[in-house]
Amino acid sequence: MPLTGTSRRWRIFGVLALMYILAYFYRISLAVVAKDLSAELGLTAAQLGTLSGVFFYVYAFVQIPLGPLLDRFGGRVVISTFGVLTSAGGFLFALAPGYAPALGARVLLGIGTACVLMGTLKIFTHWFSRQEFATVSGYMVAVGNLGNLAATAPLALAVAAVGWRHSFLVVAAIQTLITCLVYGYARDTPPRQAPHHAVNGEASAGVGMMAAWRAIFSDRSFLLLGFLSFSWYGAYMVLQGLWGGPYLMECVGMDRSGAGQVLLCTSLGFIAGCLVVGKVSDRLFRSHKKTLIAGQTLLLCLMTLMLGPAESLPRPLLSALFFLIGVGVSSGVTIYPFVREMFPTEIVATALTSLNFFVLLGAATIQQVMGFVIARFPKSGSGYPPAAYHTAFLIPIGALLLAILLFLRARDPGKAHPEQ
C-alpha cells in the first residue's frame, strides 16, 4: 500500500517527538535532583531507589495491556489520554510534601508516559514503510533524548536558579499543552488509508490476545532478546537515570553542575548513536543481531570502568567516557526493528509492548537493587563511600555480560539490506 501525506507524517513525527521528549525527561530527571530530594524529603538511599524504580515498574507492567489498547483505540487517543495522567503526576510531584505523595506522583508519571514510544511506533507502522521503520524509530529515540539532555545540565541550572519544585511545575504545564497538541493534530493513519481498527481488525481476527502472547513468549529468541533488553536498559538507567549523579558527586567530587555536564555527554552520545544506528545496522553489519552484540559489548567494556578507574580520569577523558557509553547504549534501539521482523504484522504491536516490558522492568529492578546495596554501606556527611558504588555497579555489569553471552544463541530473524 503506497504511503501518502509525506510532509504531514513528518509533522506528526514532530508532535509525537515533543511528547516523547517530556517522557524521557521524567524518566531521567531524578539523577540531577537526587540529593535535593533526599535532603528536603528526608529520603534514604533505599527510598530514593524505590522512588526512581517504581516509575519503571509501573511503566513496565502497563505494557501488558498496552498492545491490545493500541490495537483497539489507536495511538492518538491512548497517548493523549495517558498524557492527562502524566500532567497530573507532574504537578503532584512538584508539590509533594513527603515521600508517600512523591511516590504516588511517580506512579502516575510511570503510567502516563508508558504508552508514548509504543503508541508512536504503532502510528509509524501506518505512516512509514517496513524498510523505513528502523531508521525512523532510531530518529524518534534520538529526538526523545533531548528530554535526556534537558534532565542533565539544563535541569541542574534551573534547580540552582529557582529550585526543583518550580522547575517541575513548569515542565508539568508544558506537558499539558503538548497533550492537547497531540490530540488535536496527530492521526493514526494517512487520510486515504483505512482507519486503524479496520486495518488491524481484519488482520488480527484469527489471532486472539492470549494466542498472540503464547506465540511471543514461547519463542526462545524473544526471551533471550528480552533478557538482553532488561540488562541493556537497566545498565543505562542506573548511570543516567539515578545513580550516575550521586556517583559523580560523591566518588569523583563534582558539584551538581559538573555532574550534570558529564551526564549530558552520555545523552549526546546516545543521540549521536541513534541518528546512525539504523544505517549501521543496514549497511555495515547488515544484521540487527550483530549490531546489538557489537554495541552491547562496547557498553559492557565501558561500564567496567565504573568499578574504580573512572574516578582517576581527568575531566576531558571522563566526559569522553560518558559520551562513548551513550554511543554504546544507542545500539539498544535496534531491539524494536529486530522484534518487528520476528512476528507477523497482526501481532507486532503486542510483541513490541511485550518487549518493552523487559526494557522497563530492567531499569526498575537494577536501580532499586543498587539502592539496597549502596544503603548497606555507612554514610558520612559527604555521602556513601566509593566501595558502595563499586559493589553496586557489579550488578548491571554482571547482568549485561550474562545477557550478551546468552543472546549469542538467539536466531537472527532477518538480514538488513543496503537498499533499506
Side-chain angles (χ1 to χ4, degrees):
M1 179 182 297
L3 296 176
T4 60
T6 300
S7 61
R8 177 158 193 182
R9 67 180 183 169
W10 286 108
R11 291 196 294 269
I12 291 174
F13 176 99
V15 170
L16 294 171
L18 292 175
M19 183 72 91
Y20 193 45
I21 286 169
L22 290 180
Y24 233 110
F25 173 87
Y26 281 121
R27 189 183 301 182
I28 299 292
S29 54
L30 283 191
V32 168
V33 299
K35 289 182 74 68
D36 302 86
L37 285 174
S38 297
E40 185 168 337
L41 303 183
L43 305 180
T44 65
Q47 287 176 320
L48 190 60
T50 300
L51 196 64
S52 181
V54 72
F55 176 100
F56 296 95
Y57 280 123
V58 172
Y59 195 123
F61 282 98
V62 169
Q63 303 304 306
I64 296 173
L66 182 58
L69 282 174
L70 290 171
D71 285 335
R72 174 65 180 85
F73 297 105
R76 169 178 169 259
V77 169
V78 174
I79 293 172
S80 302
T81 302
F82 279 46
V84 175
L85 297 178
T86 305
S87 296
F91 284 116
L92 178 58
F93 184 76
L95 301 172
Y99 174 65
L103 189 65
R106 292 288 290 178
V107 169
L108 285 175
L109 290 170
I111 296 172
T113 59
C115 70
V116 179
L117 180 58
M118 295 297 100
T120 295
L121 295 182
K122 170 69 174 177
I123 291 173
F124 286 174
T125 60
H126 297 298
W127 285 92
F128 295 90
S129 70
R130 181 179 293 270
Q131 290 73 26
E132 296 170 309
F133 193 80
T135 298
V136 76
S137 59
Y139 287 168
M140 175 55 66
V141 176
V143 175
N145 268 270
L146 293 175
N148 194 337
L149 292 178
T152 55
L155 178 59
L157 292 173
V159 171
V162 299
W164 70 271
R165 291 187 184 274
H166 286 93
S167 300
F168 278 90
L169 278 173
V170 171
V171 175
I174 296 172
Q175 171 72 47
T176 303
L177 292 175
I178 294 176
T179 298
C180 296
L181 186 61
V182 168
Y183 183 78
Y185 190 79
R187 293 294 182 270
D188 292 295
T189 60
R192 291 191 293 274
Q193 183 174 321
H196 77 275
H197 50 79
V199 171
N200 292 319
E202 182 179 353
S204 61
V207 183
M209 184 171 63
M210 298 306 297
W213 280 337
R214 278 196 300 272
I216 292 165
F217 285 96
S218 63
D219 190 312
R220 188 187 71 165
S221 292
F222 175 81
L223 296 177
L224 294 175
L225 179 64
F227 183 45
L228 182 68
S229 303
F230 175 99
S231 304
W232 154 64
Y233 206 66
Y236 178 45
M237 282 294 103
V238 298
L239 197 63
Q240 190 75 358
L242 180 59
W243 296 115
Y247 168 78
L248 291 170
M249 288 185 273
E250 296 176 10
C251 297
V252 183
M254 292 182 171
D255 58 16
R256 185 197 296 110
S257 177
Q261 290 171 12
V262 171
L263 293 174
L264 178 64
C265 293
T266 313
S267 302
L268 292 172
F270 195 176
I271 291 172
C274 285
L275 290 173
V276 300
V277 68
K279 300 297 183 184
V280 169
S281 183
D282 291 346
R283 299 180 181 180
L284 178 61
F285 292 109
R286 300 189 180 186
S287 163
H288 298 319
K289 179 181 177 181
K290 292 178 181 178
T291 304
L292 277 168
I293 292 172
Q296 297 306 295
T297 301
L298 172 64
L299 175 60
L300 174 67
C301 294
L302 296 173
M303 285 289 294
T304 60
L305 298 179
M306 299 299 111
L307 302 180
E311 293 144 43
S312 61
L313 293 177
R315 175 68 176 272
L317 286 181
L318 186 63
S319 298
L321 167 63
F322 275 67
F323 179 88
L324 289 174
I325 286 174
V327 173
V329 168
S330 70
S331 66
V333 303
T334 313
I335 64 174
Y336 298 118
F338 188 104
V339 80
R340 188 183 182 189
E341 291 180 350
M342 292 180 69
F343 300 101
T345 302
E346 58 265 27
I347 64 172
V348 74
T350 302
L352 284 167
T353 54
S354 297
L355 182 66
N356 220 34
F357 170 82
F358 290 100
V359 173
L360 279 301
L361 189 63
T365 303
I366 297 178
Q367 283 189 96
Q368 188 173 24
V369 171
M370 279 191 66
F372 291 141
V373 171
I374 292 171
R376 293 179 65 87
F377 286 78
K379 185 178 183 180
S380 65
S382 58
Y384 290 96
Y389 289 95
H390 299 164
T391 304
F393 273 120
L394 287 172
I395 296 166
I397 291 170
L400 186 58
L401 173 61
L402 179 59
I404 293 170
L405 293 175
L406 291 174
F407 187 67
L408 293 173
R409 301 177 61 85
R411 75 177 188 278
D412 195 337
K415 300 284 186 177
H417 300 289
E419 66 270 20
Q420 294 179 341

